[in-house]
Amino acid sequence: MSVKPVIELTADGSHTLFIPELDEHYHSVNGAVQESTHVFIEAGLKHCLKDKIHIFEVGFGTGLNAFLTLSATRNLSKKIYYTAIEAYPLAEAVISQLNYANSCNPQEKELYHKLHSADWNKEIEITDNFYLKKIQSDFTNFDFKKITDKIDLIYFDAFAPDKQPDMWTQEIFDKLYTVSADDCILVTYCAKGVVRRMMQHPGYSTERLPGPPGKREMLRAVKHT
Ligand SMILES: C[S@@+](CC[C@H](N)C(=O)[O-])C[C@H]1O[C@@H](n2cnc3c(N)ncnc32)[C@H](O)[C@@H]1O
């Protein structure tokens, strides 16, 4: 996949990217920030009650989910260890045009840029309670042994299964389950039955939840041991 994204405005005024070769957007055109907040923060992060949370994101992309997570936990006593995998890091020329931090105070704007300027493949302290490790790698052949701490929360934010079926395989969900901690929560905007069954196969309990505006449902899976 060659990535030549086009910046577009979504219905809530926040940007998304469109990949013409895939005919696919990074987020819902009904509202990028609205969707990410609904799926990953409200249905995921807010249900993870641990004080120390290891998050694993599939597809770092614009850094929107990392930024929303950082903002939601800044004034909490929780420690966040955020690992994100990305095969196609965005060019600075694209990142610098995205409007996610435009209405934020200067300190938050700086944090958004810090997420992007952080070195790849190293754990970087972004704030005293938020540590980021961006891994530049192809998720479809990722060596899960590189995950040394069990994951408490998974943001599964790959392109849709019909666009990138190799990101949504039984093997991948089985591997994610083996690196999931007890009570690990996995959230995704996708609500397909075939994806739900792939999550259930290794042992996740799954539920369909109301989706963000414009999408009827989404999925949340939990590892109950
Ligand atoms: C739906 S977008 C979401 C990105 C990000 N979470 C965001 O909010 O901007 C999917 C992301 O997966 C990345 N991706 C595509 N194929 C990949 C692969 N084989 N391995 C890792 N990342 C991949 C894309 O480059 C893109 O950043």
Side-chain angles (χ1 to χ4, degrees), residues 1 3 17 24-27 36 40 57-65 85-90 100 137-140 157-160 164 166-167 189:
M1 189 180 79
V3 177
L17 298 175
E24 177 75 333
H25 288 90
Y26 274 49
H27 310 96
S36 291
F40 301 106
E57 179 179 31
V58 179
F60 181 75
T62 63
L64 176 57
N65 295 333
I85 189 163
E86 175 58 63
Y88 310 101
L90 292 167
Y100 302 130
S137 173
D138 182 346
F139 183 57
T140 60
D157 200 13
F159 289 127
Q164 266 199 315
D166 54 347
M167 297 286 277
Y189 64 86

Side-chain angles (χ1 to χ4, degrees), residues 112-131:
Y112 180 65
H113 291 293
K114 209 168 166 187
L115 294 172
H116 282 288
S117 60
D119 282 347
W120 289 86
N121 307 311
K122 273 189 206 164
E123 186 173 273
I124 305 289
E125 181 178 320
I126 304 293
T127 66
D128 60 3
N129 73 330
F130 191 101
Y131 297 82

Side-chain angles (χ1 to χ4, degrees), residues 41-49 185 220:
I41 306 302
E42 296 296 330
L45 179 67
K46 293 209 173 158
H47 289 260
C48 188
L49 304 177
I185 296 170
R220 178 166 63 207

Side-chain angles (χ1 to χ4, degrees), residues 15 25 69 97 110 129 162 169 171 196 222:
H15 279 145
H25 288 90
T69 302
Q97 293 182 64
E110 199 186 311
N129 73 330
D162 55 328
T169 65
E171 191 187 350
R196 185 180 185 173
V222 180

